[in-house]
Amino acid sequence: MRDGEDVGQLRELSAKERELKSQKESLEEEVRRLQSMVNEAKAELKASEGEMEDAGKRLEEAASEVRADFASEDGAGTVHADPTDNAPAEPQMRRKCIKLTRSPGAKLGLFFSNNTPEITRVFPGMAGAQAGLRTGMIIRKVDAATVTSLAELDACLAKACDSMLLEVDAEIDSDGDSMGSAQEDTSDTERCAVPAVAVATAEAK
């Protein structure tokens, strides 16, 4: 009986061995299949990298051609749009002389702002308007004395005679004429009644 049992066990072990061998072969086959897939993926990735490198070279060549064409056009005198073309043009100014005559104690009827000698308001019928001073004009001199601020203008007007010569910068229009017009303000008559020098400084305050 013992010999029969041993033979049965040997047969059982042999069958398990064959089963394990078959499983091993299957696993080895699966490993080979997966390795093949990995190799194919690597090959595709390498090919893609080559295509991307070629595309980058083509783009760089195209950019170089564009830069060369642009430089060639510039050398040929091609005019390109200036980004500052749409910027508002600086106003053109013209220096002119204006004789201003005032009666003793009369009001000039001029207003200024931001501590500058630029006229921002002219009251019709007063000495400034009668002399031809207009909104937008900048007083540069009073009887040859240079004016750069409202304080200097105030001092010059206090020293000036009733008849004085003003040098002003006036904006000119497309026809070459001086621009600016008297700006009427009848809603603030109390401010028009102050002395001439005070009128010049009232706006700054």
Side-chain angles (χ1 to χ4, degrees), residues 17-191:
E17 183 180 2
R18 288 193 298 270
E19 183 181 353
L20 290 174
K21 185 177 180 179
S22 177
Q23 291 178 356
K24 179 182 177 181
E25 290 176 352
S26 298
L27 290 174
E28 289 176 348
E29 180 66 23
E30 183 67 16
V31 168
R32 286 192 295 270
R33 187 181 69 82
L34 292 175
Q35 186 63 45
S36 176
M37 293 176 62
V38 169
N39 292 336
E40 290 178 0
K42 288 182 177 180
E44 291 178 358
L45 179 60
K46 187 174 181 180
S48 298
E49 290 176 349
E51 292 177 357
M52 292 177 63
E53 185 177 355
D54 292 340
K57 290 180 179 179
R58 290 194 296 271
L59 286 174
E60 182 60 30
E61 291 174 357
S64 298
E65 292 177 359
V66 171
R67 286 193 292 267
D69 292 342
F70 188 79
S72 176
E73 290 179 359
D74 280 347
T78 303
V79 178
H80 299 282
D82 188 340
T84 62
D85 284 348
N86 295 328
E90 290 293 331
Q92 294 183 343
M93 308 296 285
R94 172 183 293 172
R95 183 66 59 90
K96 62 187 299 184
C97 294
I98 295 179
K99 185 177 181 180
L100 175 62
T101 302
R102 60 182 176 183
S103 302
K107 283 72 65 180
L108 293 182
L110 302 176
F111 283 81
F112 306 85
S113 65
N114 299 327
N115 197 32
T116 67
E118 181 177 355
I119 300 172
T120 59
R121 188 177 304 170
V122 179
F123 285 89
M126 294 190 179
Q130 292 175 354
L133 292 173
R134 298 290 183 264
T135 300
M137 289 183 175
I138 304 174
I139 299 177
R140 297 302 187 185
K141 290 184 179 181
V142 177
D143 287 337
T146 301
V147 172
T148 60
S149 68
L150 192 58
E152 292 179 351
L153 176 60
D154 191 14
C156 289
L157 292 175
K159 297 176 183 178
C161 301
D162 292 335
S163 180
M164 65 191 79
L165 186 64
L166 306 179
E167 285 190 26
V168 301
D169 285 344
E171 184 177 350
I172 59 176
D173 58 18
S174 57
D175 297 327
D177 298 327
S178 297
M179 297 177 64
S181 60
Q183 181 177 348
E184 184 175 3
D185 188 346
T186 58
S187 63
D188 198 358
T189 56
E190 291 183 1
R191 297 179 68 183

